[in-house]
């Protein structure tokens, strides 16, 4: 179902990374602009998400886990996963690898809504500097909404069963999971009716500042490349590195986290 | 017409009308495997559908919806059945259900239930947030409506975008004569996902000729109460309510309330005047049965409300209950820069005019783009779409050409004003039908075949005649605004008072709203602003509702604020105090330091965005006493120009826009425009570019500097245009985000930088067809094309565009940029240059246009 959310502070460090300040503090002028941009964006954005939980129809498609082998050698014997009770088929080696060991998955979508698109269009005419900063802030904010939503969903699920393990959020377009499943993905969770989210004929999400993602659920612990937390359950930087590792642009991207790892 | 009467019969008696409940929920619970396109069941398993509909009829539904919610070109694209077959089968099934029900009922005299063709959202967002043009949406709905010709009613439902709803209503009205009932889905914040408010929905849909309006889906009957309550204050049409069975459970997806609870909440809605009732997601025949049984003993309450004069956009309704300023600046008459912009298709200039007028206090904008050299219809449509894409202020569509008016009325989102009709029969018989069909308000000019009357009485007489003509074709009185016409007082001195007297009579005796172009009064006389603002005050006192004026004229805006205060419209003087609290009155009793409008054009107070308060200016452009604009080196025009040059350097580097504008003005008295560009603007940008590359400043600062430098450019452009000098251009460059891609901020930053170096940028926007890029390059003889793409999937379009340009052997070089590109890839797809950021694009341009 659709849930509204109200994040009230945008991660400044992340915004600075996106607008090109690496480890430098911007001057007072830019900081002042950032403050105004943040306020306006938070007033404008209507943060919401929707999710549904599905069983994964993976028959005996994997080689038997063999602890002696390194994870890379556990190659799946299929390259697609069915989302039970829907018409969605997740294809590609990367998603199969990502969801191995998972019996269920959370299909999830979040958006800041069309009002933010309008704000960005307005700012691109009235003040391109503000537009640039606000765009970066909106990208940051939607990730924060996803992080928060993920926590909420997990806590809902944990009321039901203890001891579950989750993969990090994997989106259409990552690795070799095609972007072209976007529409079908949205239909599966009724995203248009629930949060007003659609995709264009070239599979771009509209409203623009939106995310679709899959989180695998497993009853047993997951591999390092699949999860976003440490063995002891504390959060770590791993999911960022994992995301960058699956990215086709990992060698040329200015924002890559791999170097830092 | 027969069917209209059948529905009218249902709507006109004192009883309630019952719709059905959910189809989707019933299908899901049937145990049958539901295909990706549920409408295929109409052909593959008709019995399933017929039985569900029969159950609803047996439960007491008077109207059943066909199983066609998603039967449109997009959603049913992958079906092996033709779209028309899916729709026809659905209506055929509904008819069978109806016949079987009649047999079951056993009495032929019983009123035949009606079949409504259900039409849901297309599934793609319309422009500007999505990429589906309004015109395409219309065609998609038209196709559905033609296929559904056997239905009795058209039910457009679950819409969240008023624009999409409008496309569907137009398609229904133009391709059938069936009644159209319309429901939208709201969130509990009283808005739809796209920001449409209840009042805007009500006045737009009623004006477009919907037969009944209301809500369906997304909420339960309890949550819908406040929204229906608001709706009932804005319409006298029959109100529809088709709620979900409460709210869904997050994990199971099951709905929360029982048929009994559902019905109890529905009973509470009776006093609000609801007339047509049914259920949406989670409901089943049990709900409808409970509902019809309970409502048997209830009587429908007809609630009649007085609807005010109002116009709207989806997000904002402007009620004409006090003076509202109509901004007149988007009109090329006498405006060289606007003419230039229109000729060059430069929408950003027009948009910045819209934004600054709103910031200055306009609540409605007049849009007139009529000039000889351009295609007025095309430009009008383009401008309205673009303005509506960034603001939420209602528009007044202004043209002499009925074809232009019609094209604009079609694509306007909300309810606009048409400017104008007059008392001539030809005008009345051409314009009023358009106003009626597209649901607008209209300005009526008090002139007729005999010209502008000299007497007040005759003007009132014409106003009265126009009113009767409007009423006769069904335009309500509240939608006619009379313009008693301002004549130039230097030519006709007595006419001013005649005009004012007529305003008063039209307002008070005819009971119509009034509108007046104010500035014309002072033509040919010295100190025009003085006359204008005094005449405005007099007119307001006589009952003027809608002054058409330049909101950049602070004195006139002040008059309006002051009038509202004195006329006790501005309750507790709130708006007045808000606007003037920082005004400093100097000893000479005149207001100090009225800086020209601030650097930020961000509109304020319209719920879109608050004013970005840069460099110490308050949002209304008045210098704030406490905030200093930084250490601006002191300059006056008496000093030598080198200190002005330094000061301008400083102002640009520090983002001081109004200072930058002022100093450029001073320097233009002493230097040639080209000198200023070459000796100041470009060196500042070069320095910033070098600093950016070396990492001593960052991208936001570079953009800020470019943005500030642009204000200097604007001053130069204005000077050139005013003196009829040739505009500056160091060369033409096309910029475009390629087909399929809608990421355009990088491209727009590049545009600002290039323009500041003196290049003419032809911005083709985003999602641009390769063919258009090619044609523009040929037509305008463009030597440099910049293409942007942000997705790996759209690099194909980039490659395709380059191939097309190469095939045609143009003398054009191509630079490409965007996050997914690398220098190698750029080379591979045949680009001449890869630019890693906006700054590099200026280096390339310099190289090419040596």
């Amino acid at each position: 179902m659709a849930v509204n959310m109200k994040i009230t502070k945008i991660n400044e460090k992340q915004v600075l990374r996106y607008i090109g300040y690496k480890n430098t503090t911007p001057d007072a002028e830019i900081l002042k602009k950032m403050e105004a941009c943040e306020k306006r964006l938070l007033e404008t954005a209507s943060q919401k998400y929707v999710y549904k939980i599905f069983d994964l129809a993976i028959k005996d498609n994997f080689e038997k886990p063999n602890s002696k082998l390194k994870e890379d050698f556990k190659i799946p014997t299929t390259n697609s996963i069915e989302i039970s009770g829907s018409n969605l088929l997740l294809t590609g080696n990367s998603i199969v690898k990502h969801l191995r060991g998972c019996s269920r998955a959370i299909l999830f979508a979040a958006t800041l809504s069309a009002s933010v698109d309008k704000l960005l269009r307005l700012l691109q005419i009235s003040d391109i500097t503000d537009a640039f900063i606000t765009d970066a802030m909106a990208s940051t904010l939607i990730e924060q909404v996803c992080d928060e939503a993920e926590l909420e969903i997990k806590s809902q699920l944990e009321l039901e069963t203890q001891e579950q393990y989750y993969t990090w959020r994997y989106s259409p377009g990552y690795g070799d999971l095609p972007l072209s499943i976007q529409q079908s993905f949205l239909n599966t969770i009724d995203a248009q009716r629930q949060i007003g989210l659609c995709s264009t004929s070239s599979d771009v999400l509209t409203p623009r500042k939106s995310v679709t993602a899959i989180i695998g659920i497993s009853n047993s612990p997951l591999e390092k490349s699949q999860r976003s937390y440490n063995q002891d359950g504390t959060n770590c930087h791993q999911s960022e590195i994992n995301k960058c590792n699956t990215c086709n642009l990992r060698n040329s991207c200015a924002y890559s986290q791999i170097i830092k790892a | 017409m027969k069917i209209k009467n059948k529905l009218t019969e249902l709507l006109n008696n004192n009883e309630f009308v019952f719709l059905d409940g959910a189809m989707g929920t019933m299908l899901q619970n049937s145990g049958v495997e539901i295909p990706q396109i549920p409408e295929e069941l109409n052909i593959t398993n008709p019995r399933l559908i017929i039985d569900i509909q029969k159950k609803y009829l047996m439960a007491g539904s008077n109207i059943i919806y066909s199983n066609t919610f998603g039967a449109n070109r997009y959603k049913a694209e992958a079906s092996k059945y033709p779209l028309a077959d899916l729709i026809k089968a659905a209506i055929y099934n509904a008819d069978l259900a109806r016949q079987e029900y009649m047999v079951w009922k056993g009495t032929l005299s019983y009123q035949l239930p009606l079949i409504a063709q259900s039409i849901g959202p297309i599934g793609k967002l319309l422009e500007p947030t999505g990429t589906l043009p309004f015109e395409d949406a219309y065609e998609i709905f038209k196709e559905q409506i033609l296929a559904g010709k056997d239905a009795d009613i058209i039910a457009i439902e679950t819409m969240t975008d008023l624009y999409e709803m409008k496309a569907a209503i137009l398609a229904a009205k133009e391709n059938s004569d069936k009644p159209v009932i319309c429901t939208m889905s709201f969130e509990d914040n009283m808005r739809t996902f796209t920001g449409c408010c209840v009042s805007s929905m009500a006045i737009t849909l009623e004006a477009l000729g919907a037969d009944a309006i209301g809500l369906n889906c997304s909420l339960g009957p309890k949550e819908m109460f406040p929204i229906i309550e608001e709706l009932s204050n804005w319409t006298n049409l029959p109100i529809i309510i088709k709620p979900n069975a409460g709210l869904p459970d997050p994990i199971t997806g099951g709905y929360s309330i029982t048929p009994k609870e559902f019905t109890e909440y529905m009973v509470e809605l009776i006093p609000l005047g609801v007339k047509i009732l049914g259920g949406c997601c989670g409901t089943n025949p049990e709900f409808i049965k409970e509902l019809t049984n309970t409502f048997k003993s209830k009587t429908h309450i007809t609630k009649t409300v007085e609807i005010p004069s109002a116009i709207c956009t989806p997000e904002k309704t402007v009620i004409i209950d006090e003076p509202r300023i109509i901004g007149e600046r988007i009109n090329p008459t006498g405006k060289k820069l606007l003419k230039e912009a229109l000729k060059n298709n430069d929408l950003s200039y027009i948009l910045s005019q819209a934004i600054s007028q709103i910031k200055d206090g306009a609540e409605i904008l007049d849009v007139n783009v009529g000039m000889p050299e351009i295609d007025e219809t095309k430009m009008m449509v383009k401008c309205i779409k673009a303005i509506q894409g960034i603001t939420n202020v209602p528009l007044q569509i202004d043209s002499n050409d009925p074809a232009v008016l019609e094209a604009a009325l079609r694509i306007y989102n909300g309810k606009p004003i048409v400017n104008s009709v007059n008392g001539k029969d030809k005008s009345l018989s051409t314009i009023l039908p358009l106003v009626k069909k597209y649901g607008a308000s209209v300005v009526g000019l008090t002139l007729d075949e005999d010209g502008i009357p000299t007497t007040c009485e005759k003007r009132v007489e014409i106003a009265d005649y126009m009113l009767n003509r409007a009423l006769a074709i069904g335009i309500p009185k509240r939608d006619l605004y009379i313009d008693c016409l301002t004549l130039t007082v230097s030519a006709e001195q007595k006419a001013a008072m005649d005009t004012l007297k007529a305003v008063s009579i039209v307002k008070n005796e005819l009971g119509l709203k009034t509108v007046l172009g104010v500035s014309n009064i002072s033509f040919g006389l010295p100190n025009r602003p003085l006359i204008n603002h005094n005449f405005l005050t007099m007119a307001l006192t006589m009952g003027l509702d809608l002054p058409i004026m330049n909101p950049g004229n602070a004195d006139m805006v002040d008059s309006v604020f002051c009038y509202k205060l004195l006329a006790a419209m501005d309750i507790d003087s709130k708006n007045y105090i808000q606007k003037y609290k920082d005004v400093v009155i100097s000893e000479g009793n005149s207001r100090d330091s009225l800086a020209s409008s601030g650097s930020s054009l961000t509109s304020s107070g319209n719920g879109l965005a608050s004013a970005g308060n840069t460099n110490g200016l308050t949002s209304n452009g008045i210098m704030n006493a406490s905030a200093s604009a930084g250490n601006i080196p002191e300059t006056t025009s008496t000093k030598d120009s080198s200190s002005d040059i330094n000061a301008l350097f400083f102002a640009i580097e520090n983002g001081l826009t109004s200072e930058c504008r002022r100093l450029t003005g001073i320097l233009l008295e002493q230097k040639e425009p080209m000198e200023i560009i070459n000796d100041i603007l470009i060196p500042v940008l070069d320095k910033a570019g070098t600093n950016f590359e070396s990492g001593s400043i960052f991208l936001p600062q570079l953009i800020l500097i470019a943005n500030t430098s642009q204000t200097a450019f604007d001053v130069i452009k204005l000077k050139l245009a005013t003196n009829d000098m040739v505009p500056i251009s160091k060369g033409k460059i096309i910029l475009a985000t390629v087909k399929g891609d809608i990421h355009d901020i990088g491209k727009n930053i590049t545009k600002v930088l290039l323009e500041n170096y003196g290049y003419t940028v032809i911005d083709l926007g985003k999602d641009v067809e390769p063919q258009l890029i090619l044609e523009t390059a040929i037509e305008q003889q463009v030597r440099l094309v910049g293409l942007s793409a942000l997705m790996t999937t759209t690099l194909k379009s980039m490659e395709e565009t380059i191939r097309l340009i190469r095939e045609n052997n143009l003398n054009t070089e191509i630079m490409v940029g965007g996050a997914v590109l690398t220098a190698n890839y750029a080379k591979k797809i045949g680009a001449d240059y890869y630019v890693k950021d906006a700054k590099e694009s200026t280096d390339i341009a310099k190289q090419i246009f040596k």
Side-chain angles (χ1 to χ4, degrees):
Chain A
M1 70 170 260
V3 186
N4 290 316
M5 185 172 278
K6 199 73 208 168
I7 284 174
T8 53
K9 182 83 196 102
I10 297 174
N11 181 344
E12 183 175 307
K13 216 177 134 194
Q14 188 73 329
V15 174
L16 289 176
R17 197 163 78 86
Y18 286 150
I19 64 177
Y21 290 87
K22 279 159 197 143
N23 296 309
T24 326
T25 310
D27 61 19
E29 175 89 25
I30 298 294
L31 284 175
K32 206 168 132 196
K33 271 183 158 308
M34 285 177 64
E35 203 180 302
C37 288
E38 181 185 29
K39 184 167 175 279
R40 185 170 42 206
L41 176 62
L42 290 172
E43 279 166 15
T44 308
S46 174
Q47 313 162 16
K48 28 173 118 58
Y49 70 90
V50 60
Y51 69 96
K52 259 190 198 172
I53 295 162
F54 291 90
D55 289 335
L56 295 177
I58 314 172
K59 289 132 210 161
D60 196 13
N61 285 331
F62 293 96
E63 287 179 8
K64 290 270 182 298
N66 182 340
S67 56
K68 279 177 205 156
L69 291 174
K70 274 185 154 185
E71 62 171 77
D72 284 345
F73 289 97
K74 287 186 219 159
I75 295 167
T77 56
T78 179
N79 68 346
S80 68
I81 295 178
E82 264 176 57
I83 301 291
S84 299
S86 83
N87 299 292
L88 180 62
L89 189 67
L90 306 175
T91 58
N93 293 321
S94 63
I95 186 66
V96 172
K97 196 172 157 197
H98 185 71
L99 293 177
R100 74 188 164 236
C102 298
S103 54
R104 295 194 295 164
I106 304 163
L107 265 62
F108 156 89
T111 183
L112 302 184
S113 304
S115 50
V116 171
D117 295 52
K118 190 163 187 169
L119 174 66
L120 289 170
R121 284 194 299 271
L122 171 72
L123 292 175
Q124 288 186 49
I125 299 293
S126 65
D127 187 325
I128 191 85
T129 322
D130 280 1
F132 178 59
I133 295 169
T134 307
D135 191 275
M137 283 182 165
S139 299
T140 308
L141 180 58
I142 188 63
E143 285 300 326
Q144 286 178 256
V145 170
C146 292
D147 290 343
E148 194 57 37
E150 200 178 318
L151 291 177
E152 285 185 10
I153 298 168
K154 286 177 188 170
S155 67
Q156 276 283 342
L157 281 171
E158 263 139 40
L159 296 175
E160 184 192 330
T161 338
Q162 289 294 316
E163 281 296 315
Q164 310 217 55
Y165 301 87
Y166 305 93
T167 69
W168 54 275
R169 295 193 299 271
Y170 205 93
S171 293
Y174 284 8
D176 61 356
L177 177 64
L179 198 58
S180 56
I181 65 163
Q182 198 80 278
Q183 188 60 55
S184 185
F185 189 106
L186 294 170
N187 293 345
T188 305
I189 52 174
D190 200 15
Q192 180 175 19
R193 218 195 285 223
Q194 298 294 334
I195 59 170
L197 183 59
C198 288
S199 67
T200 68
S201 40
S202 46
D203 303 312
V204 186
L205 293 175
T206 51
R208 284 285 310 115
K209 298 297 176 183
S210 305
V211 165
T212 50
I214 303 151
I215 301 167
I217 308 174
S218 165
N219 294 322
S220 46
L222 296 164
E223 300 292 337
K224 197 172 165 193
S225 68
Q226 290 175 282
R227 59 182 152 84
S228 57
Y229 45 84
N230 297 318
Q231 288 292 16
D232 61 5
T234 53
N235 273 322
C236 74
H237 189 53
Q238 189 61 38
S239 76
E240 289 295 313
I241 301 162
N242 285 335
K243 247 186 237 184
C244 287
N245 272 325
T246 61
C247 179
N248 302 323
L249 301 171
R250 60 186 171 274
N251 296 325
S252 61
C253 175
Y255 307 112
S256 177
Q257 301 268 341
I258 298 174
I259 309 131
K260 287 185 192 164
Chain B
M1 292 315 286
K2 225 172 76 198
I3 295 305
K4 199 145 208 164
N5 291 340
K6 270 193 223 161
L7 183 74
T8 320
E9 214 174 283
L10 282 177
L11 295 180
N12 280 350
N13 63 31
N14 272 334
E15 285 161 31
F16 293 98
V17 177
F18 299 100
L19 305 172
D20 56 11
M23 174 59 78
T25 308
M26 293 294 286
L27 292 177
Q28 274 159 24
N29 296 340
S30 68
V32 173
E33 194 181 324
I34 309 301
Q36 188 160 11
I37 299 154
E39 287 79 7
E40 289 185 343
L41 291 169
N42 299 336
I43 294 169
T44 58
N45 194 350
R47 185 36 57 188
L48 177 66
I49 306 290
I50 295 168
D51 283 348
I52 292 170
Q53 289 174 325
K54 204 164 82 185
K55 280 183 191 150
Y56 279 123
L57 290 169
M58 287 156 73
S61 298
N62 310 111
I63 299 172
I64 48 171
Y65 281 30
S66 61
N67 181 35
T68 49
F69 181 82
N72 68 57
R73 199 188 295 171
Y74 273 112
K75 283 189 182 162
E77 196 181 8
S79 178
K80 54 181 180 287
Y81 302 102
L83 180 65
D85 291 1
L86 294 175
I87 296 173
K88 281 181 184 142
I91 293 164
Y92 183 69
N93 292 340
D95 191 40
L96 283 180
R98 172 163 74 177
Q99 288 176 28
E100 289 180 17
Y101 162 74
M102 295 304 278
V103 171
W104 173 82
K105 190 87 191 162
T107 153
L108 287 173
S109 64
Y110 197 80
Q111 184 167 27
L112 196 68
L114 301 178
I115 298 168
Q117 179 186 6
S118 159
I119 293 181
I122 293 168
K124 298 276 169 200
L125 296 190
L126 267 65
E127 291 176 336
T129 297
T131 53
L132 184 69
F134 178 84
E135 295 80 358
D136 291 8
Y138 172 88
E139 291 301 326
I140 289 167
F141 289 125
K142 178 179 170 181
E143 191 174 39
Q144 289 172 261
I145 283 153
L146 291 176
K149 65 176 180 7
D150 295 330
D152 304 320
I153 301 173
I154 293 164
I156 308 163
E157 56 171 338
T158 328
M159 291 288 174
T160 56
D161 182 356
L162 188 62
Y163 209 27
E164 187 173 356
M165 177 63 100
K166 176 171 176 174
I169 295 177
L170 280 181
K173 293 263 163 196
E174 292 180 349
N175 298 286
S176 84
D177 57 2
K178 286 176 211 166
V180 183
I181 65 175
C182 306
T183 52
M184 294 185 77
S185 298
F186 280 77
E187 292 184 272
D188 50 11
N189 66 2
M190 312 276 282
R191 287 185 182 263
T192 69
F193 290 140
T194 59
C196 178
C197 61
V198 178
S199 53
S200 292
M201 166 202 172
I203 64 173
T204 305
L205 300 189
E206 183 157 356
L208 284 168
D211 293 277
I213 62 175
L215 310 186
N216 79 297
C217 206
S218 82
L219 299 171
K222 183 182 166 202
E223 296 78 21
M224 278 189 182
F225 187 95
I227 308 170
I228 294 284
E229 190 176 31
E230 168 81 351
L231 182 63
S232 69
N233 291 328
W234 284 97
T235 187
N236 289 316
L237 288 174
I239 292 177
I240 309 165
I241 176 162
K242 208 173 191 280
N244 290 346
L247 299 172
D249 179 276
I251 303 285
T252 64
Y255 283 84
S256 61
I257 58 176
T258 62
K260 196 161 182 304
E261 289 166 307
F262 181 86
T263 304
E264 279 164 12
Y265 289 124
M266 293 291 256
V267 169
E268 288 174 24
L269 291 155
I270 295 175
L272 301 179
V274 292
K275 172 79 180 174
I276 306 172
L277 308 100
C280 204
C281 305
T283 63
N284 58 41
E286 290 302 307
F287 284 75
I288 302 302
K289 199 168 175 188
E290 181 74 30
L291 192 68
T292 52
N293 282 340
T294 306
F295 273 67
K296 251 181 218 153
S297 57
K298 314 275 178 201
T299 321
H300 166 248
I301 296 172
T302 309
K303 190 181 160 198
T304 311
V305 289
E306 181 152 348
I307 300 162
S309 290
I311 49 170
C312 72
T313 60
E315 301 100 329
K316 191 175 191 177
T317 301
V318 173
I319 310 172
I320 321 293
D321 55 351
E322 60 176 52
R324 309 279 182 193
I325 296 170
I326 301 181
E328 67 179 9
R329 296 289 296 166
I330 304 176
N331 185 328
T333 313
K335 297 185 194 75
K336 288 186 172 160
L337 282 180
L338 184 61
K339 277 185 189 161
E340 199 65 29
L342 287 170
K343 255 192 279 177
N344 298 332
N345 257 307
D346 177 7
L347 284 181
S348 55
Y349 178 78
I350 297 160
L351 292 176
S352 65
Q353 289 292 306
I355 297 168
S356 64
Q357 289 187 95
I358 295 167
K359 188 180 69 85
D360 288 338
E363 294 187 83
I364 300 162
L365 298 178
D366 186 273
V367 182
N368 181 322
V369 296
M371 58 184 274
E373 298 104 298
I374 63 160
D375 181 338
E376 189 185 347
T377 304
K378 248 190 189 162
M379 186 45 97
M380 180 64 103
V381 166
K382 226 167 149 177
C383 278
I384 288 180
K385 284 184 176 180
I387 295 170
Q388 291 211 289
I390 62 159
T391 70
N392 54 20
V393 165
L395 304 180
Q396 172 165 288
I397 303 165
D398 184 358
S399 174
N400 294 327
D401 183 347
V404 173
L405 291 177
E406 174 155 27
L409 282 165
R410 267 192 101 74
I411 55 86
Y412 181 85
N413 192 0
K415 180 178 177 188
I417 306 176
V418 166
N419 189 10
S420 58
V421 71
N422 60 51
K424 294 179 187 169
D425 276 320
K426 190 173 171 222
S427 169
L428 289 163
S429 55
T430 332
I431 306 296
L432 291 183
L434 295 177
V435 171
K436 169 68 186 160
K437 176 178 175 191
Y438 295 103
S441 290
V442 62
V443 170
L445 309 179
T446 53
L447 61 87
D448 61 11
E449 284 80 1
D450 301 327
I452 301 175
T454 46
T455 66
C456 160
E457 291 72 23
K458 179 72 184 159
R459 289 183 203 190
V460 175
E461 200 180 290
I462 297 174
D464 196 30
Y465 180 64
M466 290 192 284
L467 172 60
N468 287 324
R469 289 287 298 262
L471 291 174
I473 74 161
I475 297 169
K477 187 173 175 178
R478 61 175 182 269
D479 287 338
L480 177 63
Y481 313 152
I482 297 295
D483 186 339
C484 293
L485 300 170
T486 304
L487 299 178
T488 304
V489 76
S490 59
E492 304 237 14
Q493 202 168 358
K494 283 185 183 158
M497 288 313 288
D498 276 328
T499 301
L500 295 178
K501 237 165 55 193
V503 168
S504 171
I505 296 172
V506 166
K507 175 77 179 271
N508 300 313
E509 293 179 20
L510 295 185
L512 294 170
K513 299 295 175 191
T514 60
V515 53
L516 209 53
V518 180
S519 326
N520 200 27
I521 190 81
S522 59
F523 195 78
L525 288 169
N527 201 0
R528 290 187 63 185
L530 179 65
I531 303 171
N532 291 348
H533 90 250
N534 276 294
F535 179 66
L536 172 64
T537 308
M538 292 164 82
L540 290 168
T541 316
M542 297 299 254
L544 175 60
D545 298 294
L546 298 166
I548 304 178
M549 53 178 258
N550 176 6
N553 186 333
D555 279 347
M556 290 176 74
V557 175
D558 292 346
S559 291
V560 175
F561 270 80
C562 196
Y563 172 77
K564 288 192 199 181
L565 167 83
L566 296 171
M569 292 166 170
D570 180 4
I571 308 299
D572 297 332
S573 317
K574 241 163 114 188
N575 296 331
Y576 183 89
I577 293 170
Q578 176 62 32
K579 186 167 168 70
Y580 299 105
K581 64 181 188 307
D582 296 321
V583 173
V584 182
I585 304 292
S586 73
E587 280 183 17
N589 256 355
S590 68
R591 194 196 301 164
D592 258 359
S593 52
L594 255 181
S596 60
S597 57
S599 62
S600 166
L601 292 175
T602 312
S603 66
S604 61
N606 56 8
L608 225 191
S610 58
N613 194 354
T614 55
N615 69 1
L617 292 176
T618 59
S619 59
N620 58 6
I622 296 166
M623 191 73 84
N624 189 329
S626 61
S628 121
N631 301 317
I632 309 168
E634 201 183 299
T635 58
T636 66
S637 51
T638 53
K639 295 199 173 171
D640 65 24
S641 69
S642 72
S643 70
D644 286 329
I645 293 172
N646 290 337
L648 182 55
F649 234 99
F650 181 89
I652 297 175
E653 282 192 318
N654 290 279
L656 309 175
T657 42
S658 39
E659 191 56 13
C660 173
R661 204 176 284 130
R662 186 180 73 84
L663 289 164
T664 310
I666 294 171
L667 282 167
L668 272 173
E669 314 263 301
Q670 308 152 13
K671 286 174 166 290
E672 287 301 311
M674 212 57 206
E675 261 182 281
I676 298 178
I677 293 170
N678 287 335
D679 299 350
I680 307 170
L681 301 190
I682 290 179
V684 180
L685 289 169
D686 278 343
K687 184 178 158 200
T690 314
N691 287 341
F692 170 68
E693 277 179 337
S694 71
S696 62
I697 67 166
F698 296 89
L699 192 50
Q701 288 158 294
L702 177 66
I703 301 169
L704 185 62
I705 290 167
N707 209 7
T708 314
S709 151
Q710 196 167 30
T711 61
F713 239 104
D714 291 343
V715 176
I716 294 172
K717 269 194 225 163
L718 181 64
K719 163 113 178 178
L720 292 174
T722 325
N723 297 347
D724 283 325
M725 290 158 76
V726 188
I728 286 164
S729 175
K730 294 189 165 179
K732 286 183 194 167
I733 302 171
I734 289 177
L735 290 186
T737 298
V738 298
K739 183 71 195 160
D741 212 321
I742 55 173
H743 300 81
D744 60 354
I745 188 156
K747 180 215 71 184
N748 291 341
I749 291 169
T750 306
K751 176 185 171 187
V752 171
L753 268 181
L754 287 169
E755 283 182 339
N756 278 293
Y757 273 91
Y759 302 107
T760 302
V761 175
I762 303 168
D763 179 6
L764 295 178
K766 57 190 178 185
D767 195 16
V768 186
E769 292 286 351
Q771 191 62 29
L772 178 67
I773 298 173
L774 173 73
E775 282 164 15
T776 314
I778 295 172
E779 199 183 289
Q780 305 264 349
Q781 302 181 1
V782 176
R783 279 178 51 206
L784 179 59
V785 172
L787 302 175
S788 162
L790 248 91
M791 297 163 65
T792 37
T793 47
T794 53
L795 286 175
K796 269 181 272 146
S797 318
M798 183 176 266
E799 193 172 357
E800 161 70 11
T801 309
I802 296 173
R803 194 186 53 77
L804 195 66
I805 292 175
R806 296 294 184 233
E807 270 175 13
N808 284 274
N809 292 321
L810 305 191
N811 178 24
T812 300
E813 301 198 66
I814 301 166
M815 59 179 173
V816 294
V820 291
L821 277 161
T822 59
N824 279 338
Y825 196 86
K827 210 167 159 188
K828 201 181 125 197
I829 60 174
D832 298 297
Y833 307 96
Y834 163 70
V835 288
K836 79 171 191 319
D837 53 38
K839 198 262 154 189
E840 279 195 4
S841 73
T842 64
D843 299 339
I844 304 297
K846 274 188 208 165
Q847 209 175 306
I848 290 174
F849 300 101
K850 261 182 251 168

